[in-house]
Amino acid sequence: MELWYTEQQTDEVRFSIKVKQHLYTGKSEFQDVDVFESEEFGKFLTLDGLMMVTEKDEFIYHDMITHVAMATNPSIKKVLVIGGGDGGTVRELTRYSHIEKIDMVEIDKLVVDVSREYLPITASKLDDPRVSLYFEDGIRFVADTKEVYDLILVDSTDPIGPGEGLFTTEFYQNCFNILSDNGILVNQSESPYYDQFSHEMKRAHKKIKNIFPISKVYQFHMPTYPSGHWLFGFASKKLDPIKDVDFDKWNALGIKTKYYNPQLHVGCFALPSYVQEMLDNE
Ligand code: SAM
């Protein structure tokens, strides 16, 4: 008997992966947590039935959420990760020896515990001495913290359930308030392709560009996300991700990446006309 995982991506579109084994199922106060084993994508994590991370394509997402900002500002020392329960974003950050402090604020401890057990490929660096884990709501954390960060990475779920408040003006303003003078915010910016996702992309971008002097969007290919066309927002108080980047400095770090590279860093900000128009018209 065949077993398939199916994600309802829109009312009209489903995405399925053939499954060898349903390794884990559980429920926290926030969401259902499941882990599957598959031939094509290896092990993968879902939350409330929605695809979060797979062993096969996680490198794409975690390269692109981390290295664009880290190459733009070579002096980043203090980083805040909101969400990121699978640990992949923290893993990429720990590759920079000049980073002194990584605070990860993940609302759901179960996601971290399950990732540690089933997804060591992403959760491997959560015990790095520079990493502090806070199991609380990122919305409250950015409103209350007295800490100042050079980089904030919002590695959240979609704007539903606990993730909804991570797409609000208040949240983005609080991120601005706790960023240093050269501060950068990278946020999960959904996708331009299906209406329900492009609606969130436009809303997030509109809010952010009203707060940050520099606000751009960059794209990458994410096979297991709806349409495969996925975006991050790049917002900054001062540094432009293309004009101010020094690739000689980044190359000198000798960080080997499977997806990110300096040419892609520049290219990923070149968006399809229909996407640029959506963002400009907001
Ligand atoms: N890469 C995935 C994606 O793009 O959908 C997301 C990675 S990670 C699994 C997303 C995490 O955000 C989840 O572990 C979830 O518990 C966490 N999260 C959602 N809302 C949150 C909130 N308000 N504060 C902190 N973490 C939150």
Side-chain angles (χ1 to χ4, degrees):
M1 194 247 309
E2 290 188 346
L3 185 63
W4 289 79
Y5 156 79
T6 295
E7 180 183 44
Q8 188 82 38
Q9 293 189 336
T10 73
D11 293 343
E12 321 296 327
V13 176
R14 288 181 182 165
F15 170 75
S16 296
I17 301 175
K18 193 171 181 183
V19 166
K20 286 172 26 183
Q21 211 180 341
H22 191 168
L23 295 172
Y24 174 86
T25 188
K27 189 174 182 60
S28 71
E29 65 177 295
F30 302 102
Q31 53 212 339
D32 295 335
V33 182
D34 288 276
V35 179
F36 300 88
E37 171 85 58
S38 70
E39 203 62 55
E40 186 58 52
F41 288 98
K43 283 183 275 186
F44 61 92
L45 168 77
T46 69
L47 296 179
D48 283 342
L50 299 177
M51 176 58 78
M52 288 293 130
V53 60
T54 85
E55 285 184 316
K56 184 169 184 178
D57 67 2
E58 61 84 17
F59 74 96
I60 301 173
Y61 182 95
H62 295 122
D63 265 22
M64 293 306 281
I65 195 172
T66 307
H67 301 302
V68 170
M70 288 306 296
T72 301
N73 180 2
S75 312
I76 288 173
K77 292 186 170 43
K78 291 185 181 179
V79 186
L80 173 62
V81 177
I82 302 291
D86 54 81
T89 299
V90 163
R91 180 198 66 205
E92 287 309 300
L93 288 167
T94 59
R95 300 176 69 193
Y96 291 85
S97 55
H98 59 269
I99 290 180
E100 295 167 1
K101 179 184 180 59
I102 303 169
D103 290 344
M104 184 175 110
V105 182
E106 164 55 59
I107 200 167
D108 194 344
K109 184 175 184 300
L110 182 61
V111 176
V112 174
D113 293 346
V114 168
S115 298
R116 282 182 191 276
E117 182 169 351
Y118 293 99
L119 290 169
I121 191 174
T122 56
S124 55
K125 296 291 184 189
L126 290 173
D127 295 324
D128 183 294
R130 295 169 289 175
V131 177
S132 303
L133 300 180
Y134 299 88
F135 296 117
E136 54 186 275
D137 189 336
I139 302 161
R140 285 268 33 92
F141 186 92
V142 297
D144 299 343
T145 185
K146 298 291 174 273
E147 196 60 69
V148 175
Y149 296 94
D150 304 308
L151 175 62
I152 299 176
L153 303 177
V154 186
D155 182 8
S156 69
T157 43
D158 300 330
I160 42 179
E164 188 171 2
L166 300 176
F167 289 74
T168 61
T169 296
E170 179 204 3
F171 173 75
Y172 295 134
Q173 184 61 59
N174 284 330
C175 287
F176 182 93
N177 297 344
I178 63 172
L179 279 167
S180 56
D181 291 348
N182 275 338
I184 296 172
L185 166 73
V186 175
N187 67 291
Q188 221 272 64
S189 190
E190 302 286 289
S191 168
Y193 194 71
Y194 295 122
D195 291 349
Q196 72 191 60
F197 297 99
S198 66
H199 172 67
E200 296 305 342
M201 168 200 78
K202 289 184 285 188
R203 279 197 335 157
H205 183 64
K206 181 178 180 180
K207 292 168 186 171
I208 293 172
K209 74 180 179 184
N210 287 337
I211 299 168
F212 284 82
I214 295 168
S215 173
K216 295 177 182 292
V217 169
Y218 61 99
Q219 65 183 5
F220 56 104
H221 173 235
M222 197 59 193
T224 53
Y225 285 1
S227 81
H229 189 177
W230 217 254
L231 305 173
F232 282 122
F234 179 104
S236 165
K237 288 189 175 181
K238 214 181 280 177
L239 296 173
D240 181 287
I242 295 177
K243 293 185 196 121
D244 295 318
V245 68
D246 179 342
F247 289 125
D248 291 340
K249 268 195 185 161
W250 188 82
N251 286 321
L253 295 172
I255 292 178
K256 291 283 161 272
T257 44
K258 198 172 160 189
Y259 190 87
Y260 172 87
N261 60 57
Q263 295 75 21
L264 190 66
H265 177 120
V266 176
C268 69
F269 285 94
L271 301 172
S273 303
Y274 86 96
V275 180
Q276 197 56 59
E277 277 161 31
M278 278 182 179
L279 297 169
D280 293 345
N281 294 342
E282 268 309 296

